[in-house]
Amino acid sequence: MDVLDTVTRYSYNHDIIFRIVKIDGDIFYLEGVFERLSANSPGSDLKLVDGDMLRNKKVKEETYEASLIKKVKKNHAYLFGKILHIDGDESYLKKCMKLYDMIGIYANGAHINEARLSDYIIDLIEEYSPDIVVITGHDSYNNNGLKNIHNYTNSLNFYNAVKAIRRRYNKDELFVIAGACQSNFEALIASGCNFAMSKERVNIHALDPSIIAIKAATTPFNKIVYPRDIFNFTVIKKEGIGGIESYGKMRLIL
């Protein structure tokens, strides 16, 4: 097995398809192909994914994406909120940007490694002047204590990026969404997120952060964005996302 090969894990009954991103001896570092999960595993626990399995999964993904566009896309004389989507995974960023474009929401995207998010976040916001900021990538929890943010692969990086935003912009100025698979939800809300993942430390779909952003962008500025309204579109439900009382960013064009 080599870097960029797609694999599943015997110990998890082949539930998630991963891409190998790094190999260090017999430890293989993995990132989900369709979920925002990072993991590592010994080579003996990995099985190469056959072409049919990958093709079938891609067909399901394409069907899901088409259903999203049909549900959300409407022709209105509205000015949707503008999105800045910052992603630690370049392939996921492209998928999310494609979704924004097909629905007709203006968005800018940036591929930034999770560890460097707080270095670039303010410059990107000043450059693009968004209404909504998405900060995502990959994450995971090591089961050594829910409250300790150091038990997560990238939750601290997301936390620091949101803290940097909140030193300049309040919760009504910028609608901030942060997190990925198994992220420390409570810490991200405490850092200043309007919405965050992952309440029950569940895995999330690659498009879930962008769907929350779309809902914020298409909700009127005088109405609350409710989690229950997002569940109709996301793969994760109430176990995965939550937030604080926050208003949408859409305005009528008069």
Side-chain angles (χ1 to χ4, degrees):
M1 285 178 281
D2 251 327
V3 171
L4 299 183
D5 281 346
T6 50
V7 295
T8 56
R9 296 177 294 181
Y10 287 101
S11 59
Y12 286 82
N13 200 29
H14 310 290
D15 60 338
I16 293 176
I17 298 175
F18 290 94
R19 182 181 297 107
I20 299 171
V21 294
K22 179 184 172 183
I23 302 172
D24 186 2
D26 189 45
I27 300 300
F28 289 69
Y29 292 85
L30 314 170
E31 290 183 351
V33 175
F34 303 103
E35 289 85 8
R36 291 182 174 273
L37 180 67
S38 59
N40 59 72
S41 175
S44 59
D45 193 37
L46 301 179
K47 177 184 178 182
L48 283 168
V49 172
D50 63 56
D52 287 341
M53 181 180 182
L54 193 57
R55 277 191 294 273
N56 290 339
K57 181 66 174 175
K58 285 180 177 178
V59 168
K60 289 181 181 178
E61 287 295 303
E62 289 168 0
T63 302
Y64 169 64
E65 290 169 20
S67 71
L68 278 178
I69 294 164
K70 185 176 180 180
K71 284 181 181 179
V72 177
K73 190 172 183 179
K74 298 176 182 178
N75 295 317
H76 291 301
Y78 294 144
L79 180 63
F80 295 138
K82 185 165 67 170
I83 298 169
L84 170 60
H85 184 114
I86 304 168
D87 209 314
D89 188 301
E90 189 172 17
S91 64
Y92 286 176
L93 174 64
K94 290 177 181 177
K95 289 181 71 169
C96 292
M97 294 303 292
K98 179 183 176 183
L99 182 62
Y100 298 138
D101 182 60
M102 295 184 74
I103 290 173
I105 293 175
Y106 187 79
N108 294 107
H111 171 223
I112 306 290
N113 182 274
E114 291 90 344
R116 303 299 305 277
L117 285 168
S118 58
D119 296 334
Y120 294 99
I121 190 73
I122 297 302
D123 288 342
L124 288 167
I125 290 170
E126 290 181 347
E127 179 178 356
Y128 293 115
S129 299
D131 302 300
I132 301 150
V133 178
V134 179
I135 301 169
T136 189
H138 290 272
D139 206 354
S140 62
Y141 167 55
N142 65 15
N143 292 306
N144 288 331
L146 285 174
K147 293 182 179 180
N148 189 339
I149 200 168
H150 297 286
N151 289 331
Y152 300 79
T153 305
N154 280 311
S155 289
L156 182 59
N157 293 321
F158 299 144
Y159 176 95
N160 288 334
V162 178
K163 289 288 285 186
I165 293 173
R166 290 307 181 214
R167 283 192 284 269
R168 296 201 185 193
Y169 305 94
N170 66 44
K171 294 180 178 70
D172 292 321
E173 288 179 288
L174 275 181
F175 194 113
V176 178
I177 301 154
C181 284
Q182 303 178 11
S183 289
N184 189 327
F185 170 80
E186 295 82 7
L188 295 182
I189 290 295
S191 71
C193 283
N194 296 83
F195 273 69
M197 286 74 65
S198 165
K199 286 180 74 175
E200 301 296 332
R201 307 313 191 256
V202 296
N203 297 331
I204 72 169
H205 189 273
L207 293 176
D208 283 340
S210 61
I211 293 168
I212 302 169
I214 289 166
K215 187 60 183 176
T218 57
T219 297
F221 75 97
N222 59 350
K223 293 187 181 296
I224 300 294
V225 179
Y226 288 104
R228 64 174 179 266
D229 297 328
I230 297 169
F231 299 154
N232 293 326
F233 304 98
T234 55
V235 173
I236 53 168
K237 304 302 179 186
K238 62 183 179 181
E239 296 83 6
I241 65 170
I244 62 170
E245 187 177 59
S246 304
Y247 288 96
K249 293 295 183 179
M250 184 181 75
R251 291 179 180 269
L252 281 171
I253 297 175
L254 304 176

